[in-house]
Amino acid sequence: MINEADPPLSLDALRSGDRAEFARLVEIYYTPIYRLALKMLAREQDAEDVLQNTFLKALQHIGEFEGRSTLSTWLYRIAANEALMFLRRKRPEVSINDEAEEADDSLPMPEQFTDWCCLPEQEFATAEAKRQLDQAILKLPEKLRVVFLLRDIEGLSIKETSEVLNLTETAVKTRLLRARLALREYLAAYFSERLLSENEK
Amino acid sequence: MTLHSHTHDMSCQQLLASIGDYVEGDLAPELCQEIERHLAACDHCRVVVDTLNKTITLYHASAHETEVPSEVRGRLFQVLKLDNLREKKS
């Protein structure tokens, strides 16, 4: 979660174009914004572009910020849109607001039933395990990926995530569950193998 | 959906439909009990719930490991023309 710095940012100063106050805003939020972009896009150069575009847009529009959402929600919204636009330029058919698909509320049935929870804890902390976690996120469709990242990596609430993405809370919950179930399948494939080799020892 | 039925046992499909709220801790106690009864008797669903919880826990634990390279931070402040305002943090 983002911790607002002490003392709190002054909205009035930000809106009136106070550069030092904007620098404080950047200082507080550049890490989570970069992390979201990197986990969304994987390439460091692309994440840096999204990071810069996010704060350039924020700087451009901070005068219009009405305070109806929090600053972090506002920044996440700009960043999520930038990242999704980037992906859309690469694959034009992706649409984040296509809630019609939510009409089909059936969930894919689980396929992996190996209980890999009992692996020794150090198995989950290896560089390879961490790479698998990141790779699994990238296998998610973009509209599930962004929901998962905001909720489970950035720690936003369901409501905040729905505000960032302009989705209903129900749509956020559905996408979050689909994302988590898909990630469970991807991780199960890897950790089940680890379990096998562990048992062979 | 007949999730609130107390007369029939919950099916695996019904459990799957409630699993999101269950792992979030957002379910009514009666429904939780129904799920737990099902989990006690259904090994597959128990594994799905346990490994789903583990998946979420692993991601939560890894959430704050990303570090921004100092040159990325430097270029950001440069692009925003803020680099003369803030001393670089050590």
Side-chain angles (χ1 to χ4, degrees):
Chain A
M1 276 301 272
I2 290 167
N3 291 312
E4 303 264 350
D6 256 359
L9 290 162
S10 159
L11 273 187
D12 287 339
L14 283 169
R15 277 193 287 247
S16 66
D18 184 325
R19 306 281 293 169
E21 197 65 359
F22 193 82
R24 283 185 63 218
L25 171 88
V26 179
E27 199 67 78
I28 295 169
Y29 293 111
Y30 78 92
T31 300
I33 296 299
Y34 180 79
R35 180 172 55 219
L36 175 68
L38 185 64
K39 290 192 185 281
M40 197 68 199
L41 306 174
R43 281 189 59 213
E44 289 180 4
Q45 183 57 57
D46 300 339
E48 184 171 354
D49 287 349
V50 165
L51 174 72
Q52 292 184 357
N53 287 342
T54 298
F55 282 106
L56 281 169
K57 286 211 170 147
L59 185 60
Q60 202 183 336
H61 295 288
I62 190 78
E64 305 147 32
F65 178 72
E66 291 176 355
R68 274 181 299 188
S69 63
T70 61
L71 277 167
S72 75
T73 304
W74 184 65
L75 287 170
Y76 275 128
R77 184 182 305 142
I78 300 174
N81 282 335
E82 285 293 317
L84 289 166
M85 270 195 316
F86 179 91
L87 290 167
R88 221 165 287 163
R89 278 197 295 273
K90 287 205 304 191
R91 294 212 357 242
E93 72 274 20
V94 176
S95 164
I96 180 67
N97 282 326
D98 192 358
E99 292 199 38
E101 288 174 41
E102 248 60 55
D104 175 19
D105 63 358
S106 68
L107 289 161
M109 284 306 281
E111 289 170 9
Q112 302 263 6
F113 300 106
T114 307
D115 190 354
W116 46 270
C117 291
C118 51
L119 272 168
E121 271 308 304
Q122 62 264 29
E123 282 287 345
F124 300 115
T126 64
E128 179 56 21
K130 289 180 196 304
R131 206 183 65 84
Q132 292 286 338
L133 289 181
D134 281 340
Q135 284 300 111
I137 294 176
L138 292 170
K139 289 184 199 165
L140 294 173
E142 288 86 357
K143 63 178 197 171
L144 301 190
R145 195 186 311 161
V146 70
V147 168
F148 173 77
L149 290 175
L150 289 169
R151 175 77 182 106
D152 278 340
I153 301 295
E154 298 308 322
L156 270 61
S157 66
I158 298 284
K159 186 168 183 295
E160 288 166 332
T161 306
S162 75
E163 286 168 7
V164 169
L165 298 174
N166 202 19
L167 294 169
T168 64
E169 291 187 36
T170 308
V172 168
K173 283 186 186 179
T174 306
R175 289 178 192 195
L176 181 66
L177 179 56
R178 283 174 180 274
R180 287 168 163 180
L181 285 170
L183 292 170
R184 190 200 74 87
E185 297 286 335
Y186 301 142
L187 294 190
Y190 170 71
F191 286 122
S192 300
E193 269 189 39
R194 297 305 306 153
L195 193 64
L196 273 178
S197 62
E198 186 71 24
N199 291 341
E200 280 166 12
K201 278 184 192 169
Chain B
M1 221 178 322
T2 54
L3 283 179
H4 298 286
S5 158
H6 292 268
T7 50
H8 299 290
D9 283 343
M10 175 181 261
S11 70
C12 298
Q13 189 72 53
Q14 285 173 320
L15 181 128
L16 192 63
S18 312
I19 210 175
D21 287 335
Y22 180 69
V23 298
E24 290 272 327
D26 277 349
L27 273 192
E30 317 86 79
L31 205 44
C32 274
Q33 282 170 10
E34 235 180 292
I35 286 185
E36 275 147 25
R37 260 202 310 278
H38 180 101
L39 293 179
C42 178
D43 227 30
H44 275 187
C45 284
R46 184 191 56 77
V47 170
V48 170
V49 169
D50 286 353
T51 52
L52 184 64
N53 273 322
K54 185 71 181 176
T55 298
I56 298 166
T57 307
L58 286 176
Y59 279 109
H60 284 177
S62 78
H64 294 287
E65 284 169 4
T66 308
E67 283 181 20
V68 186
S70 60
E71 57 276 18
V72 171
R73 180 191 172 283
R75 286 193 290 267
L76 175 65
F77 277 78
Q78 235 170 7
V79 163
L80 296 166
K81 301 186 172 62
L82 297 169
D83 45 339
N84 51 344
L85 284 172
R86 297 284 288 181
E87 290 302 309
K88 192 180 171 191
K89 263 192 187 169
S90 56

